[in-house]
Amino acid sequence: MIPTPTNPSDPPLPTAKMVVAKLDLFYGAFQALRQVTMPFAKNHITALIGPSGCGKSTLLRVLNRMNDLIPGVLVQGRVELDGLDIYAPATDVCELRTRVGMVFQRPNPFPLSVRDNVLFGLRVAGVHHRARLDETMERSLRAAWLWDNLKDRLHHPALELPLDQQQRLCVARLLAVSPEVILMDEPCSALDPIATAKIEELMLELKRDYSIVIVTHNMQQAARISDYTGYMLLGDMVEFGDTGRLFTNPADTRTQDYISGRYG
Amino acid sequence: MRISGDKIAKYVFLAIACSAIASLLLIALFILLEGLPFILRYGPWKFLSTSDWRPHEGAFGIAPMIISSLWITAGAMLIGAPLGVAGAVFLSEFVPKSVMCIIKPTIELLAGIPSVVYGFIGVMVLAPLIRTNLGGPGLSLLAAAVILGIMVLPTIISISVDAIGAVPNAFREGALALGATRWQAVRMVVLKAARSGIIASIILAMGRAVGETMAVIMVAGNTIRTPHSALEPVRTLTANIAIEMSAATGMHRQALFATGVVLFVVIMILNSLAMAAMRRKGGR
């Protein structure tokens, strides 16, 4: 099924890369997501906003099954990638995670060299062909705008880089495995405004080739960079639609109250 | 004038702490004073490199015992390090927290078993096994290495588990999110991040193995000669001191103290290496 925007005045949606339909998620007895239905458009940026504890990070981690790592999680409903259910028993979770990659809230490069960080995903996949590794490393670092900074420091420890370069290295490391969808969990919350601007610019560049989903606490950031926005509250998807319309003319009073800063 | 309880407690504890350090220094000083003059008189090189130990004829070469100590320690590490690290990885990465909370204290309890008990098991179980299956007298370098390899497990496991537990979860998540399996995440990221702690645990265990005496006396066979196979009986530096000290006088006694100096230096070096490894941050 293809969910429609909450508001009929929104323009029609482009092709959906991923779709979540009637999704319930429980942490033990606690229900963290309730009947969530929304699409994630191909080659666009979809933002998930909402106050703390609304379930936006949980929803993000449904999309690459990172929630599987938490004991006692129960997922019901349908989550599709290119029309196929990723929670089907036949799904190879490792392969799924290379197609739906993730950038975390705090930059988490491995305690390895820059080069080994970027090539981690390929090595995991069993690629050892030297020329291909080198080619991928350069392409990924270029795509994350790090090549000029780091080309002479490929063997330096990644943890000694400044934070914003660490975060872009995490993006590069992800691009190296050629994902189709990039999930970003508050990727700028540990960064200063200048570094944040760089990451945002990078995201706008990347959306030509990738479908991006970003969770953010920062409403201005969602308004600046996303094409579609979902507003969540206490596990419900209150409103989903075109970002410009949602921020100027929200259909739900709760959305209105949140974006005007009345709570959250 | 009122003296607060805090002040009194502070000075009492300070005195206790100082006395601990002082007794360490005194021991070091005592051994050095007793042993060093002998080493200098006899000649350090002759003492360390010749293999004649005939105290009553004035020959004091400890080379066979140094070699035996090193072989036994190396053998113990060959057995204990892989087992210990594998155990630590299993406990911290592949077992639910609740199980780990039972198993880890149990393993640490192993450290509290008196070494004479390990020696006893070695004599009763291990030595006959070696004698019937592999040949030789049974009491041998191999038996000592196996027993010591088991004895150092608590040291290696508990320090390695702490080191692995201190690796931020973000590293694991990052690896899994790139399509790694659990095992790949452990092997390629977690173990690298925990490397300095794991190395420290192995070096500390080496220190224990070099210094262990009772279990080794019981299972190693105690013949003074340079071993040519793992099935031969050997005598370590520690065993030599323990066996001969009660009957030794004069030069002989001093030579045993000098053996103690050699042990002391080896263990100090190992402990400093362990501390240096622990202080070194991961990320290289």
Side-chain angles (χ1 to χ4, degrees):
Chain A
M1 72 173 277
I2 306 285
T4 48
T6 324
N7 194 311
S9 68
D10 280 0
L13 284 170
T15 320
K17 180 71 186 172
M18 295 191 81
V19 172
V20 168
K22 296 212 156 110
L23 185 82
D24 288 315
L25 185 144
F26 300 84
Y27 292 125
F30 173 72
Q31 184 163 9
L33 295 175
R34 255 189 295 271
Q35 291 291 300
V36 171
T37 295
M38 75 179 289
F40 298 90
K42 190 171 185 174
N43 297 120
H44 287 73
I45 299 177
T46 306
L48 297 172
I49 61 169
S52 293
C54 69
K56 54 194 192 299
S57 281
T58 299
L59 177 57
L60 192 76
R61 283 161 179 258
V62 161
L63 300 177
N64 67 344
R65 293 187 55 171
M66 285 299 276
N67 281 327
D68 290 13
L69 303 175
I70 304 166
V73 166
L74 176 68
V75 180
Q76 288 170 337
R78 202 174 159 81
V79 184
E80 290 177 358
L81 172 63
D82 289 336
L84 292 174
D85 185 4
I86 63 168
Y87 279 84
T91 306
D92 175 350
V93 178
C94 292
E95 192 234 334
L96 168 74
R97 290 182 185 145
T98 63
R99 294 178 64 193
V100 184
M102 188 162 202
V103 175
F104 294 82
Q105 187 166 355
R106 284 205 63 83
N108 62 344
F110 303 128
L112 307 169
S113 68
V114 168
R115 176 183 161 88
D116 288 341
N117 263 279
V118 177
L119 296 179
F120 184 86
L122 287 187
R123 296 222 171 99
V124 157
V127 177
H128 294 290
H129 191 256
R130 176 101 196 184
R132 182 160 163 220
L133 293 177
D134 285 339
E135 183 272 320
T136 305
M137 180 179 60
E138 180 171 345
R139 176 175 56 75
S140 311
L141 285 174
R142 278 190 194 284
W145 302 340
L146 279 171
W147 179 251
D148 292 335
N149 282 321
L150 297 184
K151 66 181 173 208
D152 301 320
R153 288 187 285 162
L154 295 174
H155 296 284
H156 275 235
L159 289 174
E160 287 176 13
L161 300 176
L163 267 187
D164 70 305
Q165 290 190 8
Q166 287 190 17
Q167 192 63 307
R168 277 185 285 146
L169 182 65
C170 290
V171 174
R173 173 173 87 178
L174 180 54
L175 298 182
V177 299
S178 311
E180 296 156 41
V181 181
I182 299 177
L183 310 176
M184 300 183 125
D185 189 357
E186 304 194 33
C188 302
S189 64
L191 305 181
D192 63 46
I194 294 167
T196 298
K198 275 191 223 160
I199 298 275
E200 288 181 1
E201 211 185 330
L202 177 60
M203 288 173 68
L204 292 173
E205 167 98 13
L206 291 176
K207 80 171 181 178
R208 282 188 305 181
D209 299 315
Y210 306 91
S211 311
I212 298 177
V213 185
I214 177 174
V215 161
T216 176
H217 249 104
N218 180 335
M219 273 185 286
Q220 286 77 22
Q221 182 173 53
R224 272 196 302 271
I225 58 169
S226 73
D227 303 297
Y228 297 94
T229 300
Y231 168 62
M232 299 180 71
L233 182 63
L234 300 172
D236 290 310
M237 179 61 65
V238 173
E239 183 165 356
F240 165 75
D242 181 81
T243 297
R245 198 273 306 153
L246 190 134
F247 276 93
T248 51
N249 184 23
D252 194 291
T253 51
R254 289 171 295 175
T255 316
Q256 168 85 55
D257 289 349
Y258 181 70
I259 61 177
S260 60
R262 214 158 291 168
Y263 65 89
Chain B
M1 193 182 84
R2 259 185 77 229
I3 301 172
S4 71
D6 272 2
K7 271 246 169 76
I8 296 174
K10 184 181 156 194
Y11 288 118
V12 167
F13 284 117
L14 185 67
I16 295 173
C18 288
S19 66
I21 295 170
S23 53
L24 179 69
L25 284 178
L26 279 175
I27 291 173
L29 200 68
F30 180 67
I31 297 177
L32 285 177
L33 281 180
E34 293 278 332
L36 264 189
F38 171 82
I39 295 183
L40 295 177
R41 191 145 31 91
Y42 191 74
W45 183 244
K46 197 173 159 201
F47 181 57
L48 294 174
S49 70
T50 57
S51 36
D52 265 343
W53 177 268
R54 276 171 285 125
H56 301 296
E57 295 156 37
F60 301 101
I62 59 168
M65 292 173 270
I66 292 178
I67 291 167
S68 302
S69 275
L70 291 180
W71 272 121
I72 286 181
T73 305
M77 289 305 111
L78 221 59
I79 295 163
L83 271 181
V85 174
V89 166
F90 178 68
L91 281 182
S92 31
E93 297 289 327
F94 295 97
V95 151
K97 274 265 171 326
S98 53
V99 179
M100 154 107 150
C101 289
I102 299 168
I103 295 184
K104 196 183 170 217
T106 314
I107 288 172
E108 282 164 1
L109 215 61
L110 281 179
I113 297 178
S115 57
V116 69
V117 175
Y118 283 98
F120 184 69
I121 295 172
V123 170
M124 300 307 289
V125 181
L126 188 61
L129 265 180
I130 292 175
R131 186 167 53 234
T132 46
N133 293 308
L134 300 172
L139 297 174
S140 58
L141 197 163
L142 179 65
V146 171
I147 289 292
L148 280 180
I150 296 167
M151 285 181 74
V152 297
L153 284 179
T155 308
I156 296 180
I157 291 181
S158 79
I159 298 176
S160 295
V161 162
D162 292 343
I164 293 170
V167 174
N169 222 9
F171 291 158
R172 293 183 187 85
E173 283 197 324
L176 295 173
L178 284 167
T181 61
R182 264 232 126 96
W183 171 232
Q184 284 173 324
V186 168
R187 186 166 51 85
M188 297 168 73
V189 177
V190 176
L191 282 182
K192 292 231 164 93
R195 189 175 49 187
S196 58
I198 292 173
I199 291 174
S201 81
I202 294 173
I203 298 175
L204 281 179
M206 279 173 74
R208 284 208 53 189
V210 173
E212 175 54 42
T213 311
M214 180 47 77
V216 174
I217 289 183
M218 292 173 75
V219 300
N222 302 319
T223 312
I224 304 175
R225 74 170 169 221
T226 307
H228 297 288
S229 109
L231 300 174
E232 289 176 20
V234 294
R235 182 186 287 195
T236 62
L237 293 168
T238 52
N240 193 43
I241 299 173
I243 291 168
E244 300 194 355
M245 194 49 118
S246 59
T249 51
M251 277 278 271
H252 187 192
R253 197 179 123 91
Q254 288 173 0
L256 293 179
F257 271 104
T259 313
V261 172
V262 174
L263 260 179
F264 193 78
V265 169
V266 169
I267 288 173
M268 288 303 258
I269 291 172
L270 286 179
N271 278 340
S272 325
L273 282 178
M275 274 192 256
M278 275 205 253
R279 239 177 282 130
R280 233 186 72 185
K281 291 260 183 287
R284 232 151 282 256

